[in-house]
Amino acid sequence: MESRQNSEIKVCVGLSGGVDSSVAALLLKQQGYDVFAMFMQNWNDAETTLHGDCEWEEDRFVAEMVARKIGIPFYFIDLSKTYRQRVVDYMFDEYSKGRTPNPDVLCNREIKFDAFLKAAQKLGADYVATGHYCRKEAALDKDGKQLIGADGQPIWRILEGTDPGKDQSYFLCQLNQEQLSKALFPIGHLLKKEVRQIAHEADLMSADKKDSQGICFIGKVDLPTFLKQQLEPKEGDLVEVYDAWYAQDPHYKFLEETIASLYEDGKARMITSYISEDKTIKQDAPQAIPVPERIAALTDDQLMQLSLPVTYDIKFQTETYRSGKHHIKKTRYKDNPFGRIIGKHEGCQFYTIGQRKGLGVGGHSEPIFIIETDPVKNIVYVGQGHSHKGLSRNCLRIAPEELHYIREDLRMPIGSMERFSIRIRYRQPLQGGWALMRENGLFIVFDTPQRGITPGQFAVLYKEGEMIASGPISDDRKLQ
């Protein structure tokens, strides 16, 4: 923060109508800053928003009442055109290619800390504040002095929020130093229950408002319905993959052999124990982790192969038979040892790896999950059970041109290897692993197999609570 009196510093709070941004505004006001609120409308297509869920008119009303209660000026800005161009069009494009984007990450990079920031600066704002549960600190040298970058500007850090259940640093993984220098996160040091309590004590209208859900600023929508606005449905086969496929697949054999070579006992760990934020598959013994020296010895080609998912090319043949007392001639698929067609889907672009709901498939003793999609052939592959081999992977790649560092002074040189904690989706517990910087990208080799590594989603690297770098998981299926 600048060495000025708080009253001389003008802060624009992105007031959404929720309790988090409301308390952020209140705290800044109490700390003596010159605060004003601005509500941004980023979506106005009511047809895709379920009635009563995250309707912007209601949010604006609550935000305005909160601003009035706190005693700060209130402004409104329509950024819907910019949001559609920079976020929604990106979503459609990614889904059309069979990838799974994260619009919230793009919303923060392109809207809140770009378009919104610029609008706030036109109104005289020195900083923009949001209700994110994360922390910003100065990066210090060994003598406790703030580090200065090559551009002569102070270097800032983003750290996880204090509340482990609400940390939202993941969504800010694409911010740069210029954006971060203008950002404030007033509630990052608080627990959610403390934020609610502060709102109640101040009698803010948003005190009991539920947290928003769904796509950033669009709300809780049926995603396939939303995507069908621009992506045309195309029926394809839903194929269940059996274990027998992996026993004969050369790529899976390579993965097993390579992973096994990384462990002291020579055994391959191929199945994740992770199910959800609060569930894991019971293990008979603690899972071992790979030997770092063996990971470091992997060649560029081995790493690239290790980061590729298993792909499927199961051929189905038909046969004719006669059915019923009239012996009506019918056609059916012959039994196949590698899998079977169990239904139809509306198009690969509407499904994502790891998805369980919305498949319309029954008759299985365990849940069915999507393990892979083939956007070229329009086939969705599924597997039965949390322990299905197709759900887990040990390695991923971020393309060099996609890798983003929050701090350039921490950029890894080619040939280096560092230890990180990694998150590949919001709310996932941090996972241990090694990052290897090579000519053809940043490779992450995890300590244990990971569930649902999905092209297009962001992998985020942390070290001791600080967010270091991020990038979308590469879609390298076409390389096989």
Side-chain angles (χ1 to χ4, degrees):
M1 188 65 72
E2 300 173 19
S3 58
R4 292 188 284 163
Q5 295 295 321
N6 287 358
S7 59
E8 299 175 337
I9 300 173
K10 197 165 188 175
V11 181
C12 173
V13 178
L15 205 58
S16 66
V19 65
D20 299 328
S21 61
S22 299
V23 172
L26 175 65
L27 293 178
L28 289 170
K29 175 71 173 178
Q30 291 175 343
Q31 291 163 14
Y33 293 101
D34 181 3
V35 183
F36 69 95
M38 188 154 63
F39 179 92
M40 55 184 136
Q41 179 190 349
N42 284 357
W43 193 249
N44 55 20
D45 188 350
E47 292 181 6
T48 60
T49 304
L50 301 179
H51 183 68
D53 286 329
C54 199
E55 293 185 355
W56 71 267
E57 296 96 335
E58 179 184 343
D59 289 340
R60 177 181 175 174
F61 172 76
V62 174
E64 197 163 0
M65 292 302 100
V66 168
R68 186 177 300 177
K69 180 73 175 181
I70 296 173
I72 57 176
F74 179 86
Y75 298 90
F76 170 85
I77 184 171
D78 185 352
L79 294 174
S80 55
K81 183 177 180 181
T82 305
Y83 183 84
R84 174 174 282 280
Q85 291 173 342
R86 297 197 195 178
V87 179
V88 176
D89 287 350
Y90 158 83
M91 279 181 59
F92 283 131
D93 184 59
E94 285 290 282
Y95 274 109
S96 72
K97 295 173 180 174
R99 296 192 285 264
T100 304
N102 191 309
D104 297 276
V105 171
L106 267 291
C107 180
N108 283 309
R109 187 184 76 185
E110 301 292 331
I111 305 299
K112 291 179 184 174
F113 294 97
D114 189 73
F116 181 82
L117 170 61
K118 289 174 181 174
Q121 289 176 322
K122 288 181 180 179
L123 293 174
D126 298 300
Y127 295 91
V128 159
T130 66
H132 283 102
Y133 286 86
C134 67
R135 293 169 292 149
K136 167 189 167 182
E137 290 184 0
L140 306 177
D141 62 19
K142 60 182 180 180
D143 297 321
K145 296 180 180 179
Q146 181 158 19
L147 289 171
I148 303 299
D151 59 357
Q153 298 301 311
I155 299 176
W156 300 94
R157 311 164 71 206
I158 302 180
L159 295 97
E160 294 178 279
T162 300
D163 190 332
K166 288 296 296 181
D167 170 50
Q168 294 174 315
S169 57
Y170 179 90
F171 296 130
L172 302 170
C173 67
Q174 288 282 293
L175 295 193
N176 57 39
Q177 281 294 309
E178 184 178 357
Q179 292 171 313
L180 192 53
S181 71
K182 301 298 182 183
L184 296 178
F185 307 110
I187 65 168
H189 64 291
L190 298 173
L191 303 178
K192 180 73 178 192
K193 63 180 181 181
E194 295 174 322
V195 170
R196 292 264 185 212
Q197 183 179 350
I198 292 171
H200 275 291
E201 290 174 353
D203 196 25
L204 299 182
M205 190 175 181
S206 58
D208 292 315
K209 200 168 186 291
K210 292 182 179 180
D211 292 341
S212 60
Q213 296 180 352
I215 303 170
C216 181
F217 285 107
I218 295 178
K220 190 177 180 181
V221 303
D222 178 69
L223 185 58
T225 300
F226 178 73
L227 294 174
K228 285 173 187 175
Q229 290 182 104
Q230 197 160 316
L231 305 181
E232 186 175 345
K234 182 182 179 183
E235 188 177 78
D237 289 332
L238 196 65
V239 176
E240 181 180 355
V241 179
Y242 299 154
D243 253 11
W245 175 263
Y246 303 94
Q248 58 78 52
D249 181 56
H251 182 56
Y252 194 78
K253 287 182 179 179
F254 166 84
L255 295 176
E256 278 190 309
E257 292 171 0
T258 306
I259 293 300
S261 73
L262 302 180
Y263 290 89
E264 285 281 9
D265 60 9
K267 295 180 180 179
R269 275 76 175 175
M270 304 295 287
I271 306 297
T272 181
S273 63
Y274 173 78
I275 295 177
S276 64
E277 295 85 51
D278 55 358
K279 294 181 181 178
T280 59
I281 297 172
K282 187 177 180 181
Q283 301 289 331
D284 295 330
Q287 287 196 314
I289 62 174
V291 179
E293 292 77 13
R294 297 184 183 183
I295 294 176
L298 291 169
T299 66
D300 287 8
D301 183 62
Q302 284 178 312
L303 282 167
M304 178 59 80
Q305 290 296 318
L306 199 60
S307 71
L308 295 175
V310 174
T311 55
Y312 307 92
D313 185 22
I314 305 175
K315 301 289 195 301
F316 295 97
Q317 296 180 330
T318 58
E319 62 182 2
T320 58
Y321 68 102
R322 296 189 179 276
S323 175
K325 62 181 180 180
H326 298 295
H327 301 288
I328 298 172
K329 200 173 185 180
K330 294 184 177 181
T331 302
R332 66 188 173 193
Y333 287 105
K334 291 182 180 180
D335 288 342
N336 189 308
F338 302 129
R340 63 178 177 133
I341 298 174
I342 60 173
K344 298 291 184 180
H345 63 82
E346 294 185 290
C348 277
Q349 64 268 33
F350 304 127
Y351 302 90
T352 186
I353 294 171
Q355 181 178 333
R356 173 179 175 179
K357 297 180 179 179
L359 299 179
V361 177
H364 290 78
S365 58
E366 293 185 75
I368 292 293
F369 299 93
I370 293 176
I371 58 172
E372 186 62 22
T373 63
D374 186 336
V376 176
K377 297 179 181 178
N378 194 34
I379 299 174
V380 172
Y381 295 97
V382 301
Q384 180 180 190
H386 290 285
S387 297
H388 192 277
K389 292 178 179 177
L391 265 182
S392 302
R393 286 169 58 188
N394 299 68
C395 179
L396 63 82
R397 181 179 82 100
I398 300 173
E401 68 274 11
E402 299 270 23
L403 183 59
H404 170 75
Y405 279 87
I406 293 166
R407 291 173 53 185
E408 283 297 319
D409 61 311
L410 297 180
R411 181 174 289 274
M412 293 174 61
I414 291 175
S416 64
M417 172 173 150
E418 283 191 43
R419 179 81 180 162
F420 289 100
S421 296
I422 306 105
R423 183 172 281 135
I424 59 172
R425 63 179 63 85
Y426 174 54
R427 299 290 300 275
Q428 181 199 25
L430 286 169
Q431 306 292 300
W434 291 90
L436 298 90
M437 193 67 223
R438 301 290 175 90
E439 289 279 359
N440 51 353
L442 182 79
F443 294 90
I444 297 173
V445 180
F446 291 95
D447 290 347
T448 57
Q450 296 299 300
R451 176 193 185 94
I453 291 179
T454 308
Q457 288 280 53
F458 283 86
V460 183
L461 282 62
Y462 293 80
K463 184 169 288 188
E464 298 178 351
E466 179 182 1
M467 191 160 56
I468 306 297
S470 71
I473 298 169
S474 291
D475 183 5
D476 294 324
R477 292 170 290 186
K478 58 184 176 293
L479 299 177
Q480 293 178 276

